Structures are given as structure tokens and as C-alpha cells.
Amino acid sequence: MINPAAQWAIQIDVTNRCRRTCSNCTRLLAHARERFCMSPWAFRQACAAVHTFPDHSTPDRNGRPKVIGMIGGEPLLHPEFPELCEIMAEEIPDRRHRGLWTSEPLLITLGAC
Ligand code: SF4
């Protein structure tokens, strides 16, 4: 097992809302009893807790820049997604270290939000 400090990315789970029903859902959404959306306050706390990860953790063994990003469910369905992006930009100023994992068919690149 790779030490968490040596991982390439940290994913912050901001919601379990999703439009899809993938049979192999790694988020186990079919078993969720109710939907949740992380509050902007909690998201800021999460970002602040890990904001040193990109520059103060074991370098990625493949040389990739370290990334902290949003995942779900589908992060774009979070009703306060624009506010989450603003918080992320404040807490993680270097856009090379911001990420977004989405299943929506949009052209979104790492650090775009
Ligand atoms: S898109 Fe992702 S979160 Fe949504 S059902 Fe499929 S695997 Fe699960």
C-alpha cells in the first residue's frame, strides 16, 4: 500500500448526487439512503486541512504534480458549486494543484475552476 503522503491526489467528496446509475459505481451510490451536499463551511475546512499536501508531501513516484480536487457523485450537481470553486481557489491558489473529477460531458481541465 502506498503511504497516503506519497499519493498523487486527495479527493474531497462534496456530494453523492449523480445523474448516472453505473452498475459498478465505486461510490456505492445505489446503497446511499439519502443524498448529501457538503456545506461550503465544511468544504473550506477540508481544503484548509490538506492545503499543504501539494508542496509538503512525498513526491509522486511518477513525477506528477500533486492535486487536491472535488469528487462525488457528481460535483457539478452541488447547488453551491461556484462557491466551492471560489473557496478552492482561495485555499489552493496554485491552479496546477486543483482538480475536478466529473462524469459530465463538459470540457473541463484540471485547475479550470
Ligand atoms: S458516474 Fe460515478 S458516482 Fe455516478 S453512478 Fe457512475 S460511478 Fe457512481
Side-chain angles (χ1 to χ4, degrees), residues 18 20-22 24-27 29 72-73 103:
C18 188
R20 304 185 192 283
T21 55
C22 304
N24 61 340
C25 178
T26 58
R27 315 304 295 173
L29 296 190
S103 62

